[in-house]
Amino acid sequence: MSATLAKAAPGPAAPEPERAGPDGSFAARAWAATVAAVRSVVRELRRMPYLLLLPGIGWLIFFFLIPLYYQAKMSVSSGSLEDNFTLTWSWGTFSHAWNLYDEHFLRSLYYAGAATVLCLILAYPLAYTIAFRAGRWRNLLLVLVIAPFFTSFLVRTLAWKTILSDHGTVVGFLNAVHITDVTANLGLTEGDRVLATPLAVVTGLTYNFLPFMILPLYASLERIDPRLHEAAQDLYASPAATFRRVTLPLSMPGVVGGTLLTFIPASGDYINAQLLGNPRETMVGNAIQARYLKVHDYPTAAALSFVLMAVILAIVTFYIRKAGTEDLV
Amino acid sequence: MRWLRRNLVVIAGLATLVYSIAPNIVVIVFSFNDPAGKYNFEWDHFSTKAWTDPCGVAGMCDSVQLSFKIAILATVFATVLGTLVAFALARYRFRARGFVNSMIFLPMAMPEIVMAASIGMLFLSIGMEAGFTTILLAHITFCISFVVTAVKARVLGMDATLEEAAKDLYATPVQVFLRVTLPLAAPGIAAGAMLAFALSFDDFIITNFNAGPDTVTFPMYVWGASQRGTPPQINVIGSAMLIISVLVVLGSQLLGRRNRVKA
């Protein structure tokens, strides 16, 4: 302790001349050291995000971006699993795939669209109830909304086979009130059955992706200040007008997010069509799955998957532009 | 009548809730069924056989174990990789931002089957045999985006002044990170990890395209069973998953409430 003090004592006197020295060597050195330190900190900060990004983004480049390249390459290759696939630039695969599966494609868009509209109609009242009318039941209702997620997706989809079974209560009721006659005339069901018809597939798709509609809707509704509703009522707006001119416009981000989150997975799904639908009326997902896993016709599978991706990305881009919600992520 | 009009939205909402919960109830009820044929779709008579002997059907419990193994590993990897990316996106400005954002957004903005088929074609082209590793690699890939989204939201909502306060109190950067930043970000990281686990455990489409003949996960098992006969044991696993998850949610809510009271 005393030694350090003794050493430090002459300190103030000693550096004085150096700092004031005409060559400014100490000041210059100190200045240079400070600049270097600041620079290295800045450089470190600049490098930091890249260090953080490198593992994750590198992973996605390798396992997400590069596979898309392989898929594109496969779609214009030919060959077989036994004697390898070679790049032959055979664009014919695309027109061949389209001629074979155009109906599957359109059916996918139609089923996914119908399921999305149904999801919106079903989800809105529930999201609205949770956001504005639930009071202390809010958390319980939210848990109930996500509860289906907690049981395996496939097991739950199989449960629809029970619910919609030919001798079940639901189909019995629909037959008794002649709803199946109406849906049969619309081409949605066949005879007095619901299983193995388009209606069953759309019911399954709607069910499976419903939480993806409810949660974004709830998130955007919950942010609305309830006083805006009161203000609208004070200004003599009817409940309908309040909804149309206040609630609905403010919930648009949720509507846009929810429709995308249901439409995208529904369009590529093949589980509902396989488990609940008619084998003659499957979706593009079933076609890709069959081409890929059953007959190992990878080029056709790649071409179909590529077109599906392009169509979905085009729809998403157009839709986001149109709806004006840029910041979805 | 006026009551009905005022509460119409609530009634419609509850009807939707019934629609979305009905299959879960069917799953639970039919776990107590003793089906007459190979398929467990029509009620025959009550039995607790499936619950007392859940592993009584060949291969099913192995498939559950495999799903757990893959889900845990995928969660660990995806959570680490995703959390780092989320911190970079939330805390730093850098040039490749647009590219990074689209690399995170695109995997979620595409039908799962596109990623399933394309990653399968990568493995095919580089000659990697489908099996445990290919499933794991594919699962990590699709889980990263969801972790990034969950963690980023939390980090952006964090109060930066708390970290500044720690620095003012002479905490080293490591201390600031371990004792302030990480605990604050923990709920987001936990949410991301839980999401990754649930997605991986229940994934079917990507697994279907990248599994080998010996790697049958639980969803793959159910898919196979849907073609050759569904034992009620499948419903037991489904019901047990539901019960465990509800307990976890309730537990975390109670914990959250207690922490709030303490604070």
Side-chain angles (χ1 to χ4, degrees):
Chain A
M1 188 68 188
S2 58
T4 21
L5 270 180
K7 253 193 195 167
E16 206 66 53
E18 257 191 335
R19 201 184 288 168
D23 58 341
S25 64
F26 179 78
R29 253 186 291 143
W31 176 243
T34 316
V35 169
V38 169
R39 267 210 194 123
S40 79
V41 166
V42 168
R43 206 181 306 135
E44 204 53 48
L45 279 179
R46 279 221 188 118
R47 223 186 293 147
M48 192 64 174
Y50 295 112
L51 282 177
L52 292 171
L53 289 168
L54 189 67
I57 298 304
W59 185 285
L60 287 175
I61 289 174
F62 196 78
F63 290 109
F64 172 70
L65 209 57
I66 291 179
L68 291 178
Y69 159 76
Y70 275 102
Q71 176 174 273
K73 195 175 141 195
M74 183 62 86
S75 70
V76 288
S77 295
S78 49
S80 69
L81 192 60
E82 288 74 36
D83 35 71
N84 284 330
F85 291 92
T86 42
L87 187 62
T88 51
W89 296 105
S90 29
W91 294 100
T93 314
F94 278 90
S95 54
H96 179 67
W98 180 256
N99 287 335
L100 269 177
Y101 294 113
D102 55 339
E103 278 182 26
H104 292 71
F105 230 106
L106 298 177
R107 202 177 289 126
S108 287
L109 298 181
Y110 164 55
Y111 285 3
T116 306
V117 172
L118 279 173
C119 272
L120 188 58
I121 294 170
L122 289 171
Y124 211 104
L126 181 55
Y128 189 95
T129 304
I130 300 174
F132 298 119
R133 307 286 292 270
R136 64 204 180 85
W137 299 103
R138 179 185 280 202
N139 279 344
L140 177 73
L141 288 176
L142 278 174
V143 171
L144 288 176
V145 166
I146 56 167
F149 279 140
F150 298 154
T151 305
S152 166
F153 174 83
L154 284 164
V155 178
R156 284 184 286 120
T157 309
L158 283 174
W160 280 99
K161 282 204 163 195
T162 300
I163 299 173
L164 299 176
S165 75
D166 298 345
H167 316 294
T169 341
V170 174
V171 174
F173 173 77
L174 293 178
N175 279 327
V177 296
H178 297 285
I179 286 181
T180 40
D181 294 345
V182 179
T183 51
N185 281 329
L186 291 170
L188 294 172
T189 56
E190 272 171 49
D192 49 9
R193 299 195 69 190
V194 173
L195 271 186
T197 65
L199 183 65
V201 180
V202 173
T203 305
L205 287 172
T206 307
Y207 163 73
N208 272 318
F209 302 111
L210 190 59
F212 295 108
M213 183 68 90
I214 298 173
L215 294 176
L217 274 180
Y218 165 73
S220 65
L221 283 170
E222 190 238 14
R223 253 178 255 153
I224 299 175
D225 190 337
R227 283 175 300 182
L228 289 175
H229 291 163
E230 285 162 29
Q233 272 157 29
D234 288 348
L235 297 167
Y236 299 104
S238 67
T242 309
F243 176 74
R244 198 161 39 83
R245 310 206 31 191
V246 179
T247 317
L248 189 60
L250 285 172
S251 69
M252 273 323 273
V255 174
V256 174
T259 44
L260 288 177
L261 284 176
T262 42
F263 183 80
I264 295 169
S267 65
D269 181 86
Y270 57 88
I271 297 162
N272 288 283
Q274 169 87 28
L275 297 180
L276 304 173
N278 180 328
R280 279 171 287 117
E281 291 176 324
T282 54
M283 297 166 70
V284 69
N286 301 74
I288 298 174
Q289 195 245 11
R291 284 281 143 184
Y292 190 105
L293 292 170
K294 288 183 188 147
V295 290
H296 302 296
D297 176 4
Y298 298 109
T300 307
L304 285 172
S305 165
F306 203 83
V307 175
L308 177 66
M309 178 181 88
V311 169
I312 294 298
L313 285 184
I315 292 176
V316 169
T317 315
F318 176 78
Y319 189 73
I320 292 179
R321 285 263 167 79
K322 198 88 183 159
T325 311
E326 290 282 353
D327 195 28
L328 276 175
V329 213
Chain B
M1 203 58 214
R2 262 189 76 190
W3 179 89
L4 193 70
R5 256 179 78 178
R6 194 175 297 160
N7 290 298
L8 199 62
V9 61
V10 179
I11 294 165
L14 293 180
T16 303
L17 203 58
V18 170
Y19 171 73
S20 77
I21 288 175
N24 279 47
I25 293 166
V26 171
V27 169
I28 295 174
V29 170
F30 275 70
S31 71
F32 292 103
N33 188 21
D34 190 3
K38 280 195 295 180
Y39 286 96
N40 184 22
F41 296 141
E42 296 201 10
W43 184 259
D44 198 71
H45 65 269
F46 181 87
S47 158
T48 53
K49 219 163 59 186
W51 280 90
T52 50
D53 186 18
C55 291
V57 285
M60 194 191 69
C61 283
D62 294 337
S63 74
V64 176
Q65 218 177 352
L66 178 67
S67 281
F68 263 109
K69 217 154 120 190
I70 290 173
I72 290 170
L73 285 172
T75 303
V76 171
F77 279 96
T79 306
V80 172
L81 296 173
T83 302
L84 295 179
V85 174
F87 267 97
L89 281 171
R91 284 290 166 85
Y92 295 97
R93 298 163 62 97
F94 49 90
R95 250 181 271 157
R97 204 180 183 86
F99 172 74
V100 170
N101 269 330
S102 39
M103 285 300 284
I104 301 301
F105 177 67
L106 280 176
M108 296 190 288
M110 265 181 205
E112 208 181 331
I113 195 166
V114 174
M115 194 197 254
S118 61
I119 201 165
M121 282 168 204
L122 168 78
F123 294 140
L124 190 83
S125 303
I126 62 174
M128 209 164 151
E129 207 173 315
F132 185 86
T133 318
T134 51
I135 301 179
L136 181 62
L137 293 174
H139 279 208
I140 295 170
T141 309
F142 81 79
C143 286
I144 291 177
S145 300
F146 293 93
V147 175
V148 173
T149 320
V151 178
K152 192 180 127 191
R154 174 75 195 180
V155 176
L156 282 176
M158 270 161 45
D159 189 352
T161 53
L162 290 172
E163 283 159 89
E164 278 160 30
K167 270 180 229 160
D168 288 348
L169 296 167
Y170 300 103
T172 63
V174 177
Q175 281 176 321
V176 173
F177 182 76
L178 288 179
R179 305 186 53 179
V180 182
T181 316
L182 207 55
L184 281 173
I189 299 171
M194 275 162 72
L195 196 59
F197 183 87
L199 288 168
S200 166
F201 189 87
D202 202 23
D203 177 77
F204 173 69
I205 296 182
I206 284 176
T207 315
N208 191 16
F209 276 74
N210 292 288
D214 303 324
T215 41
V216 181
T217 62
F218 180 64
M220 291 284 290
Y221 182 88
V222 178
W223 180 255
S226 75
Q227 277 143 24
R228 53 165 201 266
T230 50
Q233 274 83 353
I234 287 176
N235 295 50
V236 172
I237 301 294
S239 311
M241 275 163 69
L242 179 70
I243 293 163
I244 293 168
S245 322
V246 168
L247 289 179
V248 168
V249 170
L250 288 180
S252 66
Q253 283 217 338
L254 284 180
L255 210 72
R257 197 167 296 165
R258 215 177 53 197
N259 284 350
R260 229 174 296 142
V261 171
K262 244 194 261 168

